[in-house]
Every structure is written in structure tokens, then in C-alpha cells.
Amino acid sequence: KYSQTAERSSPYLISLRKIFLKGTKMVFPPSSTAARTSLQLLRRRVPNVQPFISSISAPRPGASAFHSRPFAPAVSLRALSSAAFRPSPIRPMPVVTVEVPSMGDSITEGTIVEVSAPPGTTVGADEVVVVLETDKVSIDVRSAEAGTVTEVLGEVDEAVAVGQPLFKIDTDAVGAATPPPAAEAEAALEEKAAPAVAEAAVPAPPAAEVKAAAPAPPPPVAAAAVLPPPGARTERRVKMSRMRQRVAARLKEAQNTAAMLTTFQEVDMGNLMELRSRHKDAFIEKHGVKLGFMSAFVTAATAALREVPAVNAVIDGDTKEIVYRDYCDISVAVASPTGLVVPVLRNTESMSFAEVERTIAMYGAKAREGSLALEDMAGGTFTISNGGVFGSLMGSPIINMPQSALLGMHATKMRPMVVDGEIVARPMMYMALTYDHRLIDGREGVTFLKSIAQKIEDPGRLLLDV
């Protein structure tokens, strides 16, 4: 009966039953190592069990060195099962420290640009607390567990290294702030009863007073932003972001390192536009993505890269060697709220039109959301930049180092062209190829750009691989 009652009252009394039983003798003396170890473990699990331990650990008068007389516990089972002897659950440390995560092989630090959850804010698991900006991308550092942010170990615009403690979260605050189900039920009943009591205690106002009551005034309208007066010669200084600093450094590196040369070629977009207009509905119905011009240019550039391998190569300055790549990873420039980013389409030689369009759409959505990962932008053997979406008619792009060439697309405009001896209006685009003249000769550069133009003007070449 004692054993059954003990097991029902508390699971930790099972450990006690193993040490002693009523009407039996202890199998080891209270002063032995095993007894001390068991009592120490029990003391850790049951906080208020010290009085009970003292009562059972003292040997009875006349007990031998190795055996103790049967004894009666000094504390009743009812007291053991009370709240004073109820074991508290073992939980991990309530304060969790979140460190600066790894942000890529070549990135060792970042800058705090935003504290989304300042100290005192209650956050859920996987909620953004701090936003870091690196040379390539912004990274959201999220909470590992639900709790209250107690400390942010850094200020805005402060640089933090990978592995450095970034902020702390008190996970106990969630449990304290969340009432138990019984308390929630009682609080709900009290809230429901309170309005009824208040209505019964306060008499209803006369009808005349209700009519005379004036409506509540509308909320005040926020004042318009204060603008400087006309003719004011004011200035503002804004610190450059890490991404803008990195972009500036890389552009200057390209100018100082590569012998850049740009060649231009105009292309008639008429046949490609007709092909797209004729099949765009069937394309989106089958593949679930819109058919754009980018997939045709990526496919044409991939075919040209395989025809002219030097454009897909790179110079290794350390070993003074030329590295020829047998794969095509094309970087596509995408505008984001924080600047220009270039996610990479991997192995475009094996991608279809639908796969190219689907991947570009995914990268565009991630760029707008600010969720592009470093892995999305690492590498790349060739870049395509479409300045035509902003209305650019012609420009000379800068190479995306350490690549050796970049294709610039521009706006399509109706221009008079001579076709079969007649002047007709045709949709024309200027393409620009900037390449590193140290590696790519003029013949190879022009041949490459002309090959792309021929494939765009006659899309059947892409199907026939000619």
C-alpha cells in the first residue's frame, strides 16, 4: 500500500522506495557513498525535501554500522505529495544567447543596420530580431526560441564578427506572461461578469441626455512633413552601407584590373516578339510562369559561350593561368531595395526556357523580400544586365569581376530599318558586350556578340543548335 501510494503521489518517491521501504532495512548505511549520492540527486530534483532527508539519513539508536533499524518516516505521505515537496521540472537555462551566424566563406563580419526587436520586446520562435548587412546581402538574424529580448549586444552601424554574441532572450518570460488554462478561464469569467455588474450598478441615462451627447471629435490629422523652403541650400550626409561600399570597391577593382573594351550590336526583336505573342498563353498554362525575353537571351548566351570558350574563361592572377569552364553559370542582375544584386543561374546549358523563367522569377521575389542567400549569388561565369527595363537606350557596362565579360541589354525601340530594299519600322535593340581584352581578342568578342544577335533574330537557331 505504501509503494502504490508513493508512486501515485510523486514519481520521485520511486527513487526513495529504492533506498528504503517501511518495515525493511536499508541495503547500505546512510553514511555510505551510494546513500550520499542518492540523497544528493534527490535534493537536486525535490527542492524542499531537506527536512525529510535529514529524518531518514540519521541512524536509529543501536543501529549497526551497515544496517539500520526499521523506521517510520518523519514526514507523512500527504506532506510529501503537497506543493512543498512537489518536484520542479528541470529546464534548460532560461536566457539564450544568439550569436552572429556564419554568412559565407569569404565574409567574416557584418554591420547592424536594424534592431527589429529592441530589449523588452516579446518575440516568437524564428522571429527577426536583428538585421545585419554584409558586403553582398542583408541577413535576418532570428530568435532561436520564443521569449523576451533582454539585451542587444551592439548598436546600429556597429560591426560584429561571425560567432560574436549578438542578443539575449529570456525564455522564461513567455511562460510568466502566459497564464495557465485555469487562470485564463477564471479571467474570462470575470471579464464577462464585470460588464454585467457595471450595467446593473449604473442607471441608464435619460433619452434627452443621449440625444444631447456630442459626437467624438475626429482623430487629429498628422502634420505634413516639413520641407525646406524654396531656395534653401541645405545638405545631408548619409553613411554608405556596407553593400554600397563593396559595390564601389568592386567596380573600381574592375577598372584597375581588367583591360575593358565594349563592342555594340543591334538586333531585330521582331521574330522573338512574334514568337512570344503567339505562344505566351500556352506557355503560362503549361508551365505556370510567364514567357519573357530573358529566357531567350540566357539560352542564346549559353550557346554562344560554348561556341567561344574564351568568353567563359577567367585569368588566375596567382598562377598566371587561364581557367576554362566547361559549365555555364550565368549571373542575372536584379534590382533590390538595397541595391543591385546578381543571383546565379546554375548550369544553364541544361535548363529549358521554363526553368530559366521560373528561376529568375524566384530570384526576383527573393530580392524584393530581401531573402537572397549568399549561396544564390556566389560564383558565376558570365553576367547579363538588362538596363532596358529602366529605359536605357545604350550603355557601356562594367565587368563583374572576376568574370571576363558582361552582356548589356537595352530598351527595344521602333526604328526605320532597310528590309529587302524597303524602309520599314522594326523593333530594334542595342546590345553591348564588355570584355577583358587581356583574355578575349576582338575577333572572339565580336563573334560572340554576333552569334547572340543571330539567335535572337531567328529563334529557330536555338531549336536547331546552329
Side-chain angles (χ1 to χ4, degrees):
K1 184 178 179 181
Y2 178 93
S3 302
Q4 295 175 355
T5 306
E7 290 179 14
R8 286 198 302 269
S9 61
S10 175
Y12 299 110
L13 293 179
I14 300 175
S15 300
L16 288 175
R17 186 166 58 86
K18 294 180 180 179
I19 303 177
F20 66 93
L21 287 173
K22 185 177 180 181
T24 62
K25 297 180 180 180
M26 299 182 66
V27 297
F28 47 79
S31 60
S32 66
T33 303
R36 286 198 301 270
T37 304
S38 300
L39 295 178
Q40 289 174 359
L41 292 175
L42 180 64
R43 188 179 292 112
R44 295 177 185 174
R45 302 300 294 268
V46 188
N48 299 324
V49 83
Q50 180 61 41
F52 182 66
I53 293 177
S54 300
S55 67
I56 69 173
S57 59
R60 301 295 294 266
S64 63
F66 295 96
H67 294 87
S68 172
R69 292 175 55 194
F71 61 90
V75 183
S76 64
L77 290 176
R78 180 173 298 179
L80 285 174
S81 60
S82 64
F85 288 96
R86 194 165 296 156
S88 57
I90 294 180
R91 291 164 25 93
M93 294 298 292
V95 178
V96 177
T97 301
V98 179
E99 300 178 347
V100 178
S102 175
M103 298 174 287
D105 296 337
S106 61
I107 296 179
T108 58
E109 66 176 12
T111 301
I112 300 176
V113 295
E114 180 183 348
V115 179
S116 304
T121 304
T122 301
V123 297
D126 200 35
E127 191 169 330
V128 178
V129 178
V130 177
V131 180
L132 300 179
E133 186 180 65
T134 67
D135 299 343
K136 299 181 179 179
V137 70
S138 295
I139 295 179
D140 296 334
V141 183
R142 302 175 180 271
S143 57
E145 302 180 32
T148 300
V149 180
T150 59
E151 186 178 5
V152 177
L153 306 174
E155 302 290 339
V156 176
D157 295 334
E158 181 178 343
V160 290
V162 173
Q164 175 181 333
L166 187 57
F167 58 87
K168 297 181 179 181
I169 293 181
D170 185 0
T171 57
D172 274 351
V174 176
T178 305
E184 290 181 357
E186 294 177 2
L189 292 176
E190 292 178 0
E191 291 178 0
K192 291 181 179 179
V197 175
E199 290 177 2
V202 179
E209 294 182 6
V210 174
K211 293 181 180 178
V221 180
V226 179
L227 298 177
R233 298 172 57 82
T234 59
E235 293 182 354
R236 292 184 301 116
R237 289 180 177 267
V238 179
K239 186 176 180 179
M240 291 180 66
S241 64
R242 290 183 64 91
M243 183 180 294
R244 176 53 54 187
Q245 295 179 31
R246 182 58 176 168
V247 169
R250 287 178 61 85
L251 292 176
K252 193 58 182 176
E253 176 189 359
Q255 284 187 329
N256 296 338
T257 303
M260 291 188 293
L261 179 63
T262 303
T263 183
F264 297 91
Q265 179 70 43
E266 60 180 1
V267 56
D268 190 338
M269 297 287 293
N271 292 334
L272 182 60
M273 294 173 66
E274 181 183 355
L275 177 69
R276 176 181 179 272
S277 178
R278 187 165 61 247
H279 298 290
K280 62 180 181 180
D281 295 335
F283 188 88
I284 193 173
E285 181 179 354
K286 180 176 181 178
H287 301 290
V289 64
K290 293 182 178 180
L291 176 61
F293 297 131
M294 204 64 185
S295 54
F297 276 90
V298 169
T299 305
T302 301
L305 288 172
R306 298 177 72 85
E307 296 171 1
V308 187
V311 181
N312 201 40
V314 65
I315 296 177
D316 188 343
D318 296 334
T319 61
K320 306 301 181 183
E321 296 175 339
I322 299 176
V323 181
Y324 289 92
R325 275 80 68 97
D326 298 326
Y327 58 90
C328 298
D329 290 350
I330 295 184
S331 305
V332 180
V334 176
S336 71
T338 57
L340 193 67
V341 293
V342 280
V344 181
L345 306 177
R346 311 285 180 184
N347 294 107
T348 55
E349 70 276 3
S350 60
M351 296 179 70
S352 64
F353 273 50
E355 291 172 336
V356 171
E357 294 290 354
R358 192 177 296 114
T359 307
I360 292 176
M362 177 195 67
Y363 282 148
K366 294 176 70 173
R368 289 188 296 270
E369 297 169 359
S371 59
L372 275 175
L374 293 175
E375 294 78 11
D376 298 333
M377 296 179 287
T381 62
F382 184 76
T383 298
I384 298 178
S385 176
N386 187 7
V389 296
F390 305 109
S392 173
L393 181 62
M394 184 182 294
S396 178
I398 299 179
I399 297 175
N400 180 23
M401 297 295 290
Q403 299 174 11
S404 300
L406 181 146
L407 175 67
M409 298 168 54
H410 299 93
T412 300
K413 300 292 185 181
M414 298 297 294
R415 296 205 308 269
M417 302 296 296
V418 177
V419 179
D420 297 331
E422 296 182 358
I423 299 178
V424 295
R426 299 294 298 172
M428 304 298 295
M429 174 196 289
Y430 286 117
M431 295 190 305
L433 177 70
T434 299
Y435 55 93
D436 189 350
H437 211 349
R438 298 178 304 164
L439 173 63
I440 304 171
D441 295 331
R443 178 182 62 86
E444 295 171 324
V446 173
T447 301
F448 175 84
L449 188 58
K450 185 63 177 179
S451 175
I452 295 178
Q454 291 174 347
K455 292 173 173 57
I456 295 299
E457 290 182 342
D458 185 5
R461 290 175 172 267
L462 297 175
L463 178 61
L464 299 177
D465 193 21
V466 294

